Amino acid sequence: MRRIQVNVNGVTYEHEVEPRLLLVHYLREGLNLTGTMVGCNTSNCGACTVLLNGESVKSCTLFAVQADGHEITTVQGLQTNGDWHPMQTAFHENHALQCGYCTPGMILASVSYLKENPNPNEEDIREALEGNYCRCTGYENIVKAVQQAAGQTS
Amino acid sequence: MIPMAFDYEVAESVDHAIDLLGQHGEDSKLLAGGHSLIPIMRLRLAAPTVLIDLGRLEELRYVRDGGDHLAIGAMTRHRDLLFNDLVKEHCGIVGWTAGLLGDPSVQHRGTLGGTLSHGDSSGDMPSVITALEGELTIKGPQGERTVEAADFFQDYMMTDLGEQEVVTEIRVPKLAPGTGWSYKKFSRRSQDWATVGVAAVVERSNGSIGSARIALTSMGATPIRAAAVEQALSGASPDAVAEASQSADEGTNPSSDDAASAEFRRHLARVFTQRAVEEALGR
Ligand SMILES: Cc1cc2nc3c(=O)[nH]c(=O)nc-3n(C[C@H](O)[C@H](O)[C@H](O)COP(=O)(O)OP(=O)(O)OC[C@H]3O[C@@H](n4cnc5c(N)ncnc54)[C@H](O)[C@@H]3O)c2cc1C
Ligand code: FES
Ligand code: FES
């Protein structure tokens, strides 16, 4: 077991964890933050995407011990004082989700990407989200939502 | 999909990592970005008893101007390379290819040292560094040594790395203004590994080709230089590219798998060699 201290969505947690515990399981089962999904468990689908120090990562491909001393943001930490993040609003307004399973990962990957490229075109967005699968095939509206959010934050 | 249990150590320095490797022996493994290692640990294809995490070694995360070359720290992330200005200016093929590995989240974690040390001949960077005739700096209990990429990749998933050694730096030449490059990758779906990839670095000289260095991905157990094509193109006119590319699969040993038959891979190597050299000549 190993002691870790992680700041998740602005709250600092300290826990003893097994080194083999994947970050996604720590978030879901250790902290009960079930907004982060497990899709493929093979590092392909992006459902488990969270921000590590502001950058998108696949939390199924990271051990919780690697996050020791770092900041994690999940979809449940995106709002400020009860107001949705512009990306959340854009997904809502553009009907960019159907079942919603891929949505937390889509939103976090998009938030991370706009920090790197605040003015993406449609192709840029599709490429940036190539590692986030939507099995409801709602990509059209997802891309529109990211375009809307980009317009607002740049 | 849960890895076997292991102990976890954090390396505080390269020397500390070398000590830890010595202490824990052959079943210990270095952990860099984890984006090759963790997937195979989840599948239990690998079950190291101790992981030694290089992830806190910010001192191995850099790109420096070394005069005639760029020196890149082993823990430099793929995404760092994609956005790095020195890389863009002097050795664009490295940044451009880094941007092809997986998706942005993979690139935020995966490292250049990790992808080379993993030694997978379907990885894109091993071919690129081979075509560039890059060098790796390796540190072990006996001190530091330098290995050329061509000697580093020895067999399928087997490199020249000793049990207690750490890759610390990768050096690639600065490309002269007359030198063009291209990396062409064929894969069936986005995010897939290369069914075949071709890295080309081509020097132009007075309207003809001075020299071409071409390395192939997924055409054998290691990155393979397309030596016959290189020879045919040395001093040749750009019109010779199509014909020369027909020998791109000479001396290769591709396998057949779900993605492609060996024969199809040979075909791809020929077609993509032509496209890569032509693109390099135009860049
Ligand atoms: C979804 C997905 C898609 C991908 N697509 C591609 C792709 O298209 N093309 C491609 O090339 N790669 C691809 N990758 C792999 C990715 O590039 C990895 O980041 C890379 O192969 C390994 O680098 P790493 O830093 O993650 O290494 P790790 O996984 O941490 O380590 C890999 C191996 O190298 C050893 N090692 C690591 N660093 C050192 C060092 N400094 N010295 C000595 N040994 C070391 C480790 O012990 C381990 O054996 C993909 C990965 C994923 C998850
Ligand atoms: S669950 Fe992590 S990428 Fe699919
Ligand atoms: S909304 Fe259902 S998977 Fe994307």
Side-chain angles (χ1 to χ4, degrees), chain B residues 103-147:
Chain B
D103 75 334
S105 299
V106 171
Q107 294 160 23
H108 283 142
R109 298 297 299 164
T111 67
L112 182 58
T115 186
L116 298 181
S117 304
H118 193 56
D120 187 338
S121 60
S122 57
D124 301 296
M125 280 300 185
S127 301
V128 166
I129 304 298
T130 300
L132 286 167
E133 296 182 340
E135 292 178 344
L136 294 90
T137 305
I138 295 173
K139 204 168 179 198
Q142 270 81 48
E144 219 167 64
R145 65 191 180 98
T146 304
V147 177

Side-chain angles (χ1 to χ4, degrees), chain A residues 75 78-80 82-97 103 107-108 110-111 141-142 144-150 152-153:
Chain A
V75 73
L78 270 186
Q79 53 176 347
T80 23
D83 289 333
W84 283 353
H85 187 281
M87 192 66 74
Q88 291 174 298
T89 307
F91 269 64
H92 177 70
E93 288 177 356
N94 289 278
H95 305 283
L97 55 144
T103 312
I107 288 177
L108 289 161
S110 303
V111 167
N141 289 350
I142 291 170
K144 272 189 215 150
V146 180
Q147 278 172 316
Q148 176 182 321
Q152 287 169 356
T153 48

Side-chain angles (χ1 to χ4, degrees), chain B residues 158-230:
Chain B
M158 216 174 86
T159 67
D160 178 50
L161 270 176
E163 258 168 32
Q164 229 184 309
E165 288 187 318
V166 182
V167 174
T168 56
E169 187 174 278
I170 297 89
R171 293 183 178 195
V172 291
K174 282 192 190 169
L175 300 179
T179 301
W181 54 266
S182 169
Y183 184 71
K184 289 274 177 213
K185 173 173 177 173
F186 179 89
S187 50
R188 290 183 177 266
R189 301 170 303 186
S190 72
Q191 263 203 122
D192 269 358
W193 293 64
T195 305
V196 168
V198 181
V201 178
V202 182
E203 234 181 298
R204 289 177 291 253
S205 123
N206 303 323
S208 58
I209 297 171
S211 71
R213 299 196 301 268
I214 300 161
L216 309 173
T217 307
S218 293
M219 288 299 288
T222 61
I224 297 180
R225 291 281 286 269
V229 185
E230 294 182 357

Side-chain angles (χ1 to χ4, degrees), chain B:
Chain B
M1 300 304 272
I2 309 285
M4 295 283 279
F6 57 86
D7 286 331
Y8 175 79
E9 300 265 19
V10 173
E12 310 286 351
S13 66
V14 172
D15 288 335
H16 186 217
I18 294 166
D19 283 348
L20 288 169
L21 282 170
Q23 222 169 292
H24 293 293
E26 57 173 324
D27 290 332
S28 58
K29 248 188 180 313
L30 298 172
L31 174 69
H35 272 52
S36 287
L37 192 51
I38 296 175
I40 61 176
M41 285 176 65
R42 268 187 325 222
L43 295 170
R44 301 207 173 184
L45 297 173
T49 52
V50 182
L51 280 190
I52 299 161
D53 191 359
L54 302 176
R56 317 261 157 184
L57 298 183
E58 283 296 314
E59 68 262 34
L60 288 187
R61 189 174 178 187
Y62 58 83
V63 179
R64 285 186 201 131
D65 190 331
D68 61 346
H69 65 269
L70 295 182
I72 304 172
M75 286 300 292
T76 308
R77 313 269 173 187
H78 306 318
R79 203 106 182 126
D80 299 340
L81 294 171
L82 173 64
F83 293 128
N84 186 275
D85 288 333
L86 279 173
V87 170
K88 238 175 243 170
E89 187 180 347
H90 298 293
C91 204
I93 189 171
V94 169
W96 195 83
T97 306
L100 290 182
L101 308 184
D103 75 334
S105 299
V106 171
Q107 294 160 23
H108 283 142
R109 298 297 299 164
T111 67
L112 182 58
T115 186
L116 298 181
S117 304
H118 193 56
D120 187 338
S121 60
S122 57
D124 301 296
M125 280 300 185
S127 301
V128 166
I129 304 298
T130 300
L132 286 167
E133 296 182 340
E135 292 178 344
L136 294 90
T137 305
I138 295 173
K139 204 168 179 198
Q142 270 81 48
E144 219 167 64
R145 65 191 180 98
T146 304
V147 177
E148 287 178 20
D151 299 324
F152 182 74
F153 302 107
Q154 297 198 328
D155 204 343
Y156 183 66
M157 306 283 258
M158 216 174 86
T159 67
D160 178 50
L161 270 176
E163 258 168 32
Q164 229 184 309
E165 288 187 318
V166 182
V167 174
T168 56
E169 187 174 278
I170 297 89
R171 293 183 178 195
V172 291
K174 282 192 190 169
L175 300 179
T179 301
W181 54 266
S182 169
Y183 184 71
K184 289 274 177 213
K185 173 173 177 173
F186 179 89
S187 50
R188 290 183 177 266
R189 301 170 303 186
S190 72
Q191 263 203 122
D192 269 358
W193 293 64
T195 305
V196 168
V198 181
V201 178
V202 182
E203 234 181 298
R204 289 177 291 253
S205 123
N206 303 323
S208 58
I209 297 171
S211 71
R213 299 196 301 268
I214 300 161
L216 309 173
T217 307
S218 293
M219 288 299 288
T222 61
I224 297 180
R225 291 281 286 269
V229 185
E230 294 182 357
Q231 238 162 37
L233 289 181
S234 167
S237 131
D239 301 335
V241 175
E243 205 192 316
S245 302
Q246 290 309 308
S247 43
D249 60 318
E250 248 182 66
T252 64
N253 185 21
S255 52
S256 292
D257 55 27
D258 290 349
S261 66
E263 208 32 60
F264 183 43
R265 281 202 162 88
R266 289 179 182 277
H267 166 77
L268 289 171
R270 296 190 290 263
V271 172
F272 278 71
T273 294
Q274 178 178 345
R275 290 186 193 169
V277 174
E278 283 173 355
E279 183 172 82
L281 281 170
R283 168 132 60 191

